[in-house]
Amino acid sequence: MTFQSSNHSTSIWHASSSIPRFPRLEEEYDADVCVIGAGIAGLTTAYLLSGAGKSVVVIDAAHIGAGESGRTTAHFFPPDEHYFQIESNFGKENAALVADSYRKAADLVELIVQSENIECQFERLPGYLFAGEGKNAAELDQEYAAAQNAQLDVQRVDQVPGLSFSTGRAVQFSHQAQFHPLRYLNGLARAIISNGGHIFDETRALSISGKLHDHVIHTPRAQIKAGAVVVATNTPFNDRVVMHTKQAGYMSYVIGVRVPKNSVPRVLLWDTGDPYHYVRLQPSENDRAEDILLVGGEDHKVGQDEHPEHRYRVLEAWVRQRFPMAAQVVYRWSGQVMEPADGLAFLGRNPMDDKNIYVITGDSGNGMTHCTAGAMIVADLILGRANAWAELYAPSRKPVHGVAEFVKEQANTLAQYGDWFQGGEVESADEIPAGQGALLRDGAKQLAVYRDDQGDLHVLSAVCTHLGGIVSWNPAEKSWDCPCHASRFEATGEVLHGPAITALERATLNEKYDAPLKPGVSHERPEVR
Ligand code: FES
């Protein structure tokens, strides 16, 4: 069975995976640990804890890999908050701890792949950081020095070997890694079940009550009682405000381009641009003579670009300038990353609750690594074991080292509430073509109006159900995106990404705004998958 994403675009992983499906939770359930979210963070945590003898239940609002784990490029390379920045903000000792966590997270994945016989194309390969366009090489020198201080195996090279374009000087990091994330999740799920754990699809966690060792997780049809709760939902839904002031949601874009096999070396690449580009290869499933070159970047804050499709074109131009062998673009998709204000992920106890609720968030551009390291930290905390990284990554830490970024993001968030006072984007539903959405002001109300491919209108309140921001239409993913704290909703209003937990409210359209679709107006679909 081909796995379906609830987003509009389809990643190469979704297009090439068969994911097991599990029933919905219909009856009360008791477990030592309830893990909410069946992505890399949640399933790795469940795997570690079930392997240590805990009874574990995993629930997901959709199903395994339905969130951002299926929309990553699935690489393990150094933190996108560079080591020299971490060293400057947190000190050399802590930069070495970050390096240690990155190394051991990739090692754990490799160990799990081997011990559980997971066929997920896990591969060790070198990674290269080179200067982005218009950037000088000074950052490379700083990163090389900081990586050496952190005892990493790094080399300076004058050019990334085997590439047909000039990268200039680069820093080589040995022993990085990549894999197929959904096939890995498939293997983790199998191992969790074999360890005695349970997984339930289509079971959204609505709230968590209780305290200490008696938590109740409320879902639409039944409750779960658990001693500990792990919230592994990319951004935590259980924390209304605090965590959402410490991080900001960004969309990142990826294209997959056909290239002749062996025409691009098997390496990981990323540059010092802001936003930066990231590059990897994936074997083509359809043609043994080809690879798919995956290139990502062009990030922007969620809900703050009305016409994001142009970002795919910019990415493609970047690729064609550097990889002349690049043929047809066959994939394009976007994913969401949470950028922590101080550059380090938030992995550990939720700061607002008692000591047995945990969060794994702030994945930044290193989701595979942070989710795995987060699972290791949380599993140790639950099992009462010491963990050398726990204090550094503690979600309760104050943004002492990212104050400027923190202030900038908060000002940006506040500015988004100004959308309450804006006029609508259209004056009548008549202006909305099939397959598209737009905001329409009806007196004091802001409405989010979507016209589906059949021409039927779906009228919703444009007020985000998290903390009242005004959503905006994302034509690339056909979703309603909130620019405040990065909640995202399906075109028909259902929650696609937290922190919101409830759908956009249904609304009605004053008939003076309701007009049939203009004859001849249609939506043109992209040719790529
Ligand atoms: Fe917080 Fe929308 S995500 S107001």
Side-chain angles (χ1 to χ4, degrees):
M1 181 182 71
T2 300
F3 180 77
Q4 292 299 315
S5 162
S6 50
N7 284 277
H8 181 70
S9 65
T10 303
S11 72
I12 189 171
W13 321 121
H14 287 305
S16 58
S17 293
S18 180
I19 291 276
R21 297 298 300 268
F22 297 92
R24 305 190 307 185
L25 180 73
E26 303 281 0
E27 295 176 354
E28 294 217 352
Y29 197 96
D30 275 23
D32 293 332
V33 184
C34 175
V35 176
I36 303 169
I40 297 279
L43 290 194
T44 308
T45 309
Y47 172 79
L48 294 175
L49 290 171
S50 59
K54 293 284 184 191
S55 63
V56 179
V57 58
V58 181
I59 59 172
D60 193 282
H63 26 63
I64 289 178
E68 302 311 316
S69 294
R71 310 184 70 76
T72 167
T73 47
H75 52 245
F76 294 81
F77 62 47
D80 60 11
E81 180 82 356
H82 296 137
Y83 278 115
F84 73 87
Q85 291 160 326
I86 296 171
E87 185 182 287
S88 161
N89 289 338
F90 293 88
K92 277 187 188 168
E93 213 171 291
N94 283 326
L97 273 182
V98 171
D100 184 55
S101 69
Y102 270 56
R103 184 168 39 228
K104 287 181 178 156
D107 286 352
L108 176 67
V109 172
E110 185 170 30
L111 183 69
I112 293 172
V113 166
Q114 288 168 355
S115 58
E116 300 295 342
N117 287 319
I118 302 175
E119 289 185 14
C120 62
Q121 298 163 314
F122 181 89
E123 181 179 356
R124 290 286 188 178
L125 67 183
Y128 294 90
L129 172 66
F130 62 100
E133 211 160 280
K135 296 271 188 174
N136 64 40
E139 277 188 31
L140 299 176
D141 296 333
Q142 290 175 288
E143 187 65 349
Y144 174 73
Q148 277 200 316
N149 291 340
Q151 284 142 32
L152 289 165
D153 183 1
V154 283
Q155 309 286 332
R156 267 196 282 223
V157 297
D158 291 330
Q159 160 73 25
V160 176
L163 284 179
S164 56
F165 70 94
S166 169
T167 60
R169 278 163 46 201
V171 182
Q172 177 195 303
F173 293 79
S174 302
H175 216 49
Q176 306 305 298
Q178 65 180 29
F179 67 175
H180 188 307
L182 294 184
R183 290 181 185 167
Y184 179 65
L185 287 185
N186 196 346
L188 278 181
R190 193 180 63 229
I192 291 164
I193 300 299
S194 137
N195 287 344
H198 284 88
I199 300 172
F200 292 99
D201 286 351
E202 297 175 38
T203 302
R204 181 179 293 281
L206 300 174
S207 63
I208 303 169
S209 60
K211 57 182 180 175
L212 292 176
H213 301 286
D214 292 308
H215 293 291
V216 180
I217 298 90
H218 303 266
T219 80
R221 294 167 298 279
Q223 297 179 347
I224 297 170
K225 292 184 180 149
V229 186
V230 181
V231 180
T233 50
N234 192 253
T235 191
F237 73 96
N238 55 316
D239 184 325
R240 292 284 287 173
V241 179
V242 174
M243 289 308 300
H244 309 296
T245 64
K246 296 183 172 196
Q247 59 182 358
Y250 281 74
M251 297 301 292
S252 193
Y253 295 80
V254 181
I255 59 172
V257 188
R258 292 167 47 210
V259 292
K261 199 144 208 99
N262 301 324
S263 64
V264 178
R266 300 198 71 75
V267 296
L268 297 174
L269 299 169
W270 65 107
D271 67 19
T272 58
D274 184 17
Y276 66 99
H277 299 91
Y278 44 97
V279 181
R280 65 165 282 187
L281 277 179
Q282 175 65 11
S284 168
E285 302 274 326
N286 304 321
D287 187 342
R288 285 170 168 268
E290 286 183 347
D291 283 325
I292 306 297
L293 182 70
L294 301 177
V295 180
E298 292 300 314
D299 304 12
H300 67 86
K301 278 198 84 172
V302 169
Q304 297 190 24
D305 184 348
E306 289 175 11
H307 304 287
E309 298 99 329
H310 78 277
R311 292 173 187 267
Y312 292 121
R313 289 193 288 276
V314 176
L315 269 183
E316 185 177 345
W318 189 91
V319 171
R320 297 207 182 279
Q321 207 176 10
R322 289 161 180 80
F323 298 92
M325 74 293 285
Q328 184 190 6
V329 176
V330 284
Y331 296 97
R332 66 182 199 183
W333 73 90
S334 65
Q336 187 168 337
V337 296
M338 301 307 298
E339 290 290 348
D342 65 7
L344 291 188
F346 298 107
L347 316 171
R349 289 195 169 92
N350 188 36
M352 297 306 292
D353 298 296
D354 72 56
K355 62 187 185 128
N356 278 317
I357 298 179
Y358 304 83
V359 296
I360 297 173
T361 189
D363 59 344
S364 191
N366 301 91
M368 303 298 95
T369 312
H370 281 146
C371 289
T372 306
M376 295 164 84
I377 291 171
V378 168
D380 281 346
L381 293 173
I382 290 174
L383 294 169
R385 300 191 299 220
N387 185 295
W389 319 322
E391 191 180 336
L392 179 62
Y393 287 115
S396 60
R397 71 182 186 272
K398 300 275 185 282
V400 175
H401 303 296
V403 175
E405 192 61 23
F406 175 80
V407 170
K408 189 179 97 185
E409 292 291 7
Q410 293 318 301
N412 177 283
T413 299
L414 280 177
Q416 304 314 313
Y417 285 97
D419 291 348
W420 268 94
F421 308 107
Q422 302 288 323
E425 295 162 332
V426 293
E427 292 186 357
S428 160
D430 182 36
E431 298 171 46
I432 304 172
Q436 293 297 340
L439 295 183
L440 191 156
R441 179 169 277 284
D442 180 358
K445 290 184 287 186
Q446 284 276 29
L447 300 177
V449 183
Y450 166 63
R451 188 185 293 277
D452 66 25
D453 290 342
Q454 285 68 48
D456 294 330
L457 287 179
H458 301 260
V459 183
L460 305 161
S461 163
V463 180
C464 174
T465 55
H466 175 230
L467 291 174
I470 297 294
V471 297
S472 69
W473 176 246
N474 176 342
E477 291 296 348
K478 298 194 183 301
S479 58
W480 296 106
D481 297 357
C482 181
C484 296
H485 312 103
S487 289
R488 297 181 56 232
F489 303 84
E490 305 256 23
T492 46
E494 299 81 7
V495 176
L496 202 50
H497 191 284
I501 50 173
T502 50
L504 294 175
E505 277 180 26
R506 299 210 170 279
T508 48
L509 196 57
N510 185 318
E511 56 182 40
K512 73 180 173 186
Y513 301 111
D514 188 3
L517 181 63
K518 276 180 181 166
V521 177
S522 67
H523 171 62
E524 201 174 300
R525 288 180 177 281
E527 286 174 5
V528 294
R529 278 176 282 180

